[in-house]
Amino acid sequence: MIRFATIGTNFVTGWFLEAARECRELHYAAACSRSGDKARGFAAEHGADGIHTDLTALAEDAGIDAVYIASPNSLHFEQAALMLSHGKHVLLEKPAASNRRELSKLLEIAKTNRVILLEAMRSVFDPGFAAVEQALPRLGRIRRASFQYCQYSSRYDKFKAGIIENAFNPAYSNGALMDIGVYCVHPLVRLFGRPDRILADAVILDNGVDGAGTILAGYDCGMQAELVYSKITNSRVPSQIQGEEGCMVIREIANPREVTIFYRNGGEETVFAGPDRRNMIFEVREWVRLIREGAPDNPHNRYSLLELEVMDEARRQTGIRFPADDIRP
């Protein structure tokens, strides 16, 4: 049995716990929050054995084997480094760190302590994404990938009313790229590798955070990609991968429930059709598998590094800086 704790008491942590309950190998040992009242309320609601209000005490708790971290992005590095250095396996919400430099350091700590660090990039562990990977050769030579994730945030209404929450606060290493653009960047580098060049633009809001953005990526193999993301508008346009023999349509890139190929010769093939459900269970199962097998050098981390490389460059081009960029871990 893997006894785990959670850091964070938001709705995403609740979704993770729904998935964790489907894994018999996991046991919810502790909820952690700086607020004792929040920790006790969350533990009671979700069935944790106990609580922690101090991160160091959690890290030193010999009864905890692993930790799921869903705190603001700017806190990921400090909290994950503490847990990893005390021998805890960590599942770290996306994006795993504020920048590539931070993630590289976390991976060093994980390797030194022989524990698992995994970014909770739920979409790429989904069977729908596996179906996309397996079907790519049917498209012929790939020429274009168009990934879209545009979802109007309820927090944007508060932003316009002068209430700045974490999702729109650059002090927390947040914004459209880090929050939902990552769901476009990570699948791109996982399927096609690091682009040879990128060109980025963003809609910058009054407080310096990005509300929306576009990344154009070029590959020397003769392929282009466009990544479109937004927290201030909605889109009904699906994602696509276009090859010389057909076009693959993906609904949605962050939760690939329906994947269809429309062939150039007029044929049509449903590659994947799954239930419309939260897909965190698959990342949880992979985390458990890696812990059981003891594989700190798992291949998933390579793509998390590439993801942050691309996002670091996109932020450089668009002038988006976080306090974490000026801190050298």
Side-chain angles (χ1 to χ4, degrees):
M1 184 66 67
I2 300 168
R3 294 174 56 83
F4 74 93
T6 58
I7 298 176
T9 55
N10 58 30
F11 66 93
V12 177
T13 309
W15 292 350
F16 164 78
L17 290 169
E18 286 180 14
R21 280 191 286 272
E22 296 185 41
C23 293
R24 286 177 293 179
E25 302 96 329
L26 292 174
H27 179 78
Y28 191 18
C32 182
S33 173
R34 290 174 299 178
S35 164
D37 288 341
K38 278 189 176 180
R40 281 186 288 272
F42 197 80
E45 180 183 356
H46 295 282
D49 291 343
I51 70 164
H52 276 287
T53 58
D54 180 80
L55 289 170
T56 301
L58 171 59
E60 294 176 348
D61 187 340
I64 304 295
D65 306 304
V67 181
Y68 168 75
I69 300 177
S71 54
N73 299 335
S74 60
L75 303 180
H76 285 186
F77 175 78
E78 179 183 0
Q79 293 175 351
L82 179 62
M83 299 304 145
L84 294 167
S85 65
H86 283 77
K88 313 298 187 194
H89 305 289
V90 172
L91 180 62
L92 191 51
E93 258 309 327
K94 59 77 195 164
S98 296
N99 51 51
R100 188 189 191 281
R101 187 185 67 248
E102 284 189 346
L103 180 56
S104 295
K105 181 62 177 177
L106 289 178
L107 291 173
E108 289 177 15
I109 298 171
K111 185 174 183 179
T112 298
N113 290 275
R114 302 182 64 81
V115 288
I116 300 300
L117 172 64
L118 182 67
E119 181 181 30
M121 180 52 60
R122 57 186 172 85
S123 57
V124 298
F125 299 110
D126 190 286
F129 188 81
V132 169
E133 287 185 293
Q134 294 164 9
L136 279 181
R138 302 177 214 171
L139 302 180
R141 186 174 182 181
I142 306 298
R143 291 300 193 179
R144 178 179 297 276
S146 299
F147 294 160
Q148 291 220 13
Y149 191 12
C150 302
Q151 181 173 291
Y152 188 96
S153 171
S154 61
R155 296 178 179 87
Y156 184 49
D157 289 332
K158 294 183 179 180
F159 179 91
K160 290 188 288 186
I163 303 169
I164 312 301
E165 295 192 341
N166 292 356
F168 284 94
N169 192 339
Y172 291 104
S173 302
N174 226 323
L177 175 61
M178 300 293 278
D179 190 14
I180 61 177
V182 64
Y183 283 115
C184 299
V185 175
H186 195 106
L188 180 75
V189 298
R190 194 177 186 97
L191 291 171
F192 305 110
R194 189 187 191 282
D196 295 297
R197 55 200 166 272
I198 72 165
L199 179 63
D201 192 33
V203 176
I204 305 298
L205 303 180
D206 293 342
N207 68 335
V209 77
D210 59 320
T214 302
I215 296 174
L216 301 178
Y219 290 82
D220 290 343
C221 64
M223 173 191 151
Q224 294 179 322
E226 53 192 4
L227 312 179
V228 179
Y229 52 91
S230 175
K231 288 173 65 69
I232 58 176
T233 59
N234 285 321
S235 173
R236 299 179 67 88
V237 178
S239 294
Q240 299 182 35
I241 301 174
Q242 300 174 14
E244 293 185 354
E245 301 302 323
C247 174
M248 182 186 298
V249 175
I250 305 164
R251 305 176 187 273
E252 318 152 0
I253 194 63
N255 190 19
R257 300 270 56 80
E258 183 182 327
V259 182
T260 306
I261 297 177
F262 297 90
Y263 291 101
R264 183 168 57 84
N265 64 10
E268 180 179 328
E269 178 186 7
T270 298
V271 172
F272 183 81
D276 186 9
R277 56 169 290 183
R278 296 191 188 108
N279 57 350
M280 295 181 79
I281 180 60
F282 306 109
E283 68 184 25
V284 174
R285 287 174 178 163
E286 180 63 4
W287 187 43
V288 168
R289 184 188 71 82
L290 292 170
I291 292 172
R292 289 297 190 204
E293 295 182 2
D297 292 325
N298 71 82
H300 306 301
N301 292 328
R302 172 175 176 267
Y303 301 113
S304 296
L305 287 167
L306 289 176
E307 159 211 305
L308 282 167
E309 274 188 41
V310 172
M311 296 202 299
D312 284 355
E313 175 60 17
R315 289 198 297 113
R316 186 192 69 80
Q317 292 185 20
T318 53
I320 300 169
R321 287 195 65 79
F322 302 137
D325 296 327
D326 300 319
I327 300 172
R328 294 279 171 178

